[in-house]
Amino acid sequence: MKLLVIGGGGREHALAWRLAQSARVQRVYIAPGNGGTDGGERLENVALTSIDELLSFARNQGIAYTIVGPEAPLALGVVDAFRDRGLKIFGATQAAARIESSKDFAKAFMARHHIPTAPYQTFDDAAKAKAYLTTQGAPIVVKADGLAAGKGVVVAATVAEACAAVDRMLDANAGSRVVIEACLQGEETSFIVMCDGKTILPLATSQDHKRLRDGDQGPNTGGMGAYSPAPLVTPALHNRIMREIINPTIHGMAREGIPYTGFLYAGLMIGAGPDATRRIDVLEFNCRLGDPETQPIMMRIKSDLADVFELAVNGRLDEATIDWDRRVALGVVMVAENYPAAPRTGDIITQLPADRDDCVIFHAGTRRDNGVLKTTGGRVLCVTALGDSVKRAQATAYAAVQQTHFDGQHYRGDIGWRALPASEAQT
Ligand code: AMP
Ligand code: GLY
């Protein structure tokens, strides 16, 4: 069968790479893809952008089903458009995507369904927002209401900084709103599940590193690296997350007439203390897989992923299981000069080691220009390795990073540090 993956980042490369290993898959088209998905054995980039172009392509090529990577096409209604025309697609509908595309919708939904999250208020008036900030004090968190490609959140250390964020976000466009919420303490983790509207299938746990520099310092980014599993999420915590967060969310959406299909990503803050009593709060929901969390997650899938999606798009996810590699997978993201502020583009990738069974280089911001691999900015590559421990996965990933080169490259040297103590204790 032929499949279509929408998107062009590292997440989509990892999805397409794993799907292409299925014996039943002849070809995976990626729209628009990147330099890593261009011309592989069974991978092919297609330059399609609009929903109409994607629809015609899927119909004309006899695509068995489509998988949507990023949030933007989901929020635009690509899933609704495909289904209206009888085409199979895995992703959240436009209504369900509001769980990510509107912070205000997500917060009000959580309040309605008693899903734990930081206390908040929403404002469209800067003076009222600032008055509220003054009564609350700092630290405090200011979030733009709409999709902001990971740039709409400011964790402000002072009220002045929070006020400046309000001015910027409310000035940006008319009718805009901000959510102001309490600043939570603890350790963050990602928790991602698949859903077909009825059945929930949790993926392996994962954790990413959002800050640009070692020791979790510097500005927030889309993600500088990730690993799976996340030792923080013990079996006891896993059960609580399903019971207290994921089940009420999926069932709450169904009760509101919005059956949830696709990936649901909960960004969680886990408070200190014993597993039975520590706080679990939702920082955000995403209606898609995480990037870079997907890269280590895909490395660990041993089952035929094309079969799992086929069951999911046919409402038969209850028949699916995923077999996970017991090893640790860890991905190091290499970014362009001046990321995230104004990343440089056009650098030539002069050294790139070959992929191996235990180490794969997923591309994100790359393209092939007459056979020359060049950076297109932002997150360029995610070097992802498997190992029997965090330390071994780190050693393999960083050895490959050393063999990779483009001018202006930057990466963190400590991906996985939070998981090291737990991993060492097991080996
Ligand atoms: P979001 O896009 O909502 O996940 O926010 C991006 C990042 O901001 C999160 O990964 C956290 O590091 C931080 N953040 C968001 N909300 C809060 C909060 N209420 N308390 C502390 N940190 C937060
Ligand atoms: N890695 C964070 C995200 O995908 O939103």
Side-chain angles (χ1 to χ4, degrees):
M1 58 186 165
K2 294 192 272 185
L3 308 178
L4 173 63
V5 173
I6 299 176
R11 167 183 51 210
E12 289 78 25
H13 185 185
L15 272 169
W17 166 83
R18 183 51 91 200
L19 286 167
Q21 289 165 3
S22 165
R24 294 169 58 221
V25 172
Q26 289 164 261
R27 190 156 281 271
V28 183
Y29 296 96
I30 305 100
N34 59 40
T37 55
D38 193 10
E41 206 179 323
R42 290 197 233 173
L43 304 184
E44 184 173 334
N45 286 353
V46 281
L48 310 168
T49 40
S50 73
I51 291 183
D52 280 343
E53 287 172 344
L54 292 162
L55 279 169
S56 322
F57 181 84
R59 185 179 290 139
N60 296 341
Q61 291 292 326
I63 296 294
Y65 58 79
T66 298
I67 298 165
V68 191
E71 63 278 14
L74 295 167
L76 280 174
V78 70
V79 168
D80 312 66
F82 269 62
R83 287 200 190 136
D84 283 350
R85 288 160 185 80
L87 295 168
K88 303 267 186 203
I89 186 163
F90 188 71
T93 59
Q94 187 170 38
R98 290 181 72 204
I99 204 152
E100 172 168 0
S101 65
S102 168
K103 300 265 185 208
D104 179 55
F105 172 84
K107 295 294 282 189
F109 172 84
M110 286 188 264
R112 285 197 293 281
H113 296 280
H114 311 290
I115 296 161
T117 186
Y120 80 107
Q121 287 209 20
T122 303
F123 297 91
D124 56 13
D125 178 281
K128 286 185 184 145
K130 289 182 200 169
Y132 179 72
L133 284 172
T134 310
T135 62
Q136 297 298 304
I140 191 145
V141 181
V142 184
K143 302 185 175 185
D145 182 43
L147 285 183
K151 292 181 185 127
V153 177
V154 172
V155 180
T158 63
V159 171
E161 193 187 333
C163 288
V166 164
D167 280 334
R168 204 174 55 244
M169 290 177 192
L170 287 184
D171 257 9
N173 53 63
S176 54
R177 290 184 296 183
V178 290
V179 166
I180 298 179
E181 68 177 39
C183 187
L184 300 172
Q185 305 300 324
E187 189 172 343
E188 282 182 50
T189 193
S190 315
F191 197 93
I192 308 173
V193 303
M194 284 178 80
C195 191
D196 65 354
K198 303 185 296 275
T199 302
I200 303 170
L201 181 64
L203 301 185
T205 58
S206 60
Q207 205 162 344
D208 79 341
H209 295 261
K210 293 216 185 335
R211 303 298 193 101
L212 182 66
R213 282 187 262 285
D214 285 18
D216 293 328
Q217 303 296 312
N220 256 324
T221 71
M224 294 297 294
Y227 52 93
S228 171
L232 173 69
V233 183
T234 58
L237 217 48
H238 196 285
N239 287 339
R240 282 192 55 204
I241 293 168
M242 288 301 291
R243 207 170 55 237
E244 296 170 28
I245 313 275
I246 303 294
N247 292 337
T249 302
I250 300 283
H251 298 149
M253 292 290 270
R255 276 209 301 283
E256 296 195 6
I258 313 171
Y260 199 94
T261 56
F263 292 103
L264 177 69
Y265 167 131
L268 303 173
M269 185 70 94
I270 312 287
D275 279 353
T277 54
R278 58 206 296 183
R279 279 201 64 90
I280 307 173
D281 282 287
V282 176
L283 292 176
E284 62 164 346
F285 281 121
N286 295 318
C287 56
R288 51 167 176 84
L289 282 166
D291 190 338
E293 290 93 327
T294 304
Q295 291 84 317
I297 289 174
M298 288 299 134
M299 283 293 276
R300 294 188 57 214
I301 291 187
K302 296 208 294 188
S303 315
D304 187 322
L305 184 61
D307 288 348
V308 176
F309 280 117
E310 186 170 46
L311 289 168
V313 295
N314 287 301
R316 291 167 52 200
L317 200 54
D318 56 322
E319 296 168 41
T321 50
I322 301 180
D323 226 1
W324 298 101
D325 195 314
R326 295 181 65 83
R327 287 175 291 176
V328 173
L330 181 139
V332 179
V333 174
M334 300 182 72
V335 301
E337 167 106 17
N338 218 3
Y339 174 80
R344 190 168 79 194
T345 64
D347 287 303
I348 296 175
I349 299 171
T350 51
Q351 278 174 245
L352 197 66
D355 289 345
R356 316 188 319 200
D357 282 347
D358 64 348
C359 188
V360 178
I361 297 168
F362 295 114
H363 293 229
T366 73
R367 71 186 166 96
R368 279 181 208 281
D369 186 0
N370 288 323
V372 180
L373 195 61
K374 292 186 178 166
T375 66
T376 57
R379 294 185 287 176
V380 174
L381 301 166
C382 181
V383 178
T384 311
L386 283 165
D388 290 328
S389 63
V390 173
K391 218 173 183 163
R392 294 218 175 104
Q394 274 180 334
T396 305
Y398 280 108
V401 166
Q402 301 297 330
Q403 295 165 36
T404 306
H405 181 81
F406 56 91
D407 281 346
Q409 67 185 34
H410 165 75
Y411 57 87
R412 278 179 59 162
D414 64 347
I415 298 305
W417 71 268
R418 282 181 192 277
L420 271 175
S423 176
E424 292 303 294
Q426 275 171 13
T427 50

